[in-house]
Amino acid sequence: MGYGVGGDGSTAPEGSSSPVRLSHLRPGVPCVHVQGRLDDAAVPGFQHLVRGLLDAAPWAVVLDLRALTGLAPGAVAALVELARHAGEADIGLYLVAVDRPVAQALAAGGVHRLFEIHRSTDSALRAMSRRP
């Protein structure tokens, strides 16, 4: 799946209704912002983008899911795969979410313990500074 750039500068998987935008919170810490529903059509592009970021070996990657309105079961499996990939590479993977749907979807999949969920990007950055 390819990516297109919207008029607002966001990067989104082609054919997806879930815009994905990439920013950097600080050097070595990319942040992927997801808006809308992360459905089965959007998951491969999202996973490809994040995996590419992890392969570049940053200090950490933040997934900002605060604007997410829905999470397909395939998205949970993708997040698990990304968490394992990050762990094997010793790269911090931080989720930012304020609503229950993300935590509930992860709990329903029995994988919530793989993730540290923060309510803000500032909270994720503070947690990174405490990382050994």
Side-chain angles (χ1 to χ4, degrees):
M1 179 174 284
Y3 288 83
V5 177
D8 62 356
S10 63
T11 305
E14 287 179 6
S16 166
S17 60
S18 291
V20 176
R21 185 175 53 87
L22 178 62
S23 68
H24 284 80
L25 299 178
R26 67 180 190 203
V29 183
C31 182
V32 178
H33 306 267
V34 182
Q35 181 178 350
R37 180 165 171 73
L38 191 53
D39 57 20
D40 290 328
V43 167
F46 167 77
Q47 190 171 13
H48 178 76
L49 173 67
V50 176
R51 184 139 185 157
L53 292 170
L54 291 170
D55 288 345
W59 169 256
V61 174
V62 175
L63 304 179
D64 186 348
L65 309 177
R66 290 178 292 182
L68 201 63
T69 59
L71 193 63
V76 173
L79 287 170
V80 168
E81 189 276 330
L82 293 168
R84 289 194 175 127
H85 187 66
E88 290 169 2
D90 196 27
I91 297 168
L93 182 66
Y94 298 84
L95 301 186
V96 177
V98 292
D99 294 328
R100 290 186 170 271
V102 172
Q104 288 174 337
L106 295 173
V111 296
H112 60 284
R113 289 194 173 107
L114 291 175
F115 300 96
E116 190 174 317
I117 300 176
H118 297 272
R119 295 189 61 77
S120 70
T121 54
D122 287 341
S123 172
L125 284 170
R126 283 192 300 275
M128 282 175 222
S129 67
R130 293 188 301 267
R131 188 172 171 228

